[in-house]
Amino acid sequence: MKGMQAQLEKLRTDAAECALIRDLATAPKKRELFTRLADHLTTLQCARMLATGATSICKLNLLV
């Protein structure tokens, strides 16, 4: 279970870092790329959470 938590935390951290880079990027193409990466990592995190039964937090992430 600790391995699963570590993976979820890694996905969450990576998504946050991509969002930060997106916010700092000046080139529109880079902003678009890091937006897609952050969204993809968040989706992977939600899929992982749904697989483990932790749906309430995932639903909140999808609404944001």
Side-chain angles (χ1 to χ4, degrees):
M1 190 59 143
K2 285 188 177 185
M4 181 88 54
Q5 283 298 105
Q7 288 177 350
L8 286 171
E9 186 61 33
K10 174 79 168 120
L11 287 170
R12 187 177 302 121
T13 302
D14 288 349
E17 287 177 357
C18 284
L20 177 64
I21 293 169
R22 173 202 61 212
D23 293 342
L24 296 173
T26 56
K29 293 278 186 186
K30 285 188 181 182
R31 266 187 258 134
E32 181 183 324
L33 170 67
F34 283 100
T35 296
R36 286 196 326 259
L37 285 172
D39 290 346
H40 181 67
L41 290 168
T42 301
T43 301
L44 289 176
Q45 177 193 357
C46 282
R48 191 75 160 159
M49 291 173 76
L50 287 171
T52 62
T55 58
S56 61
I57 295 171
C58 185
K59 287 178 184 176
L60 291 174
N61 282 342
L62 293 175
L63 293 175
V64 174

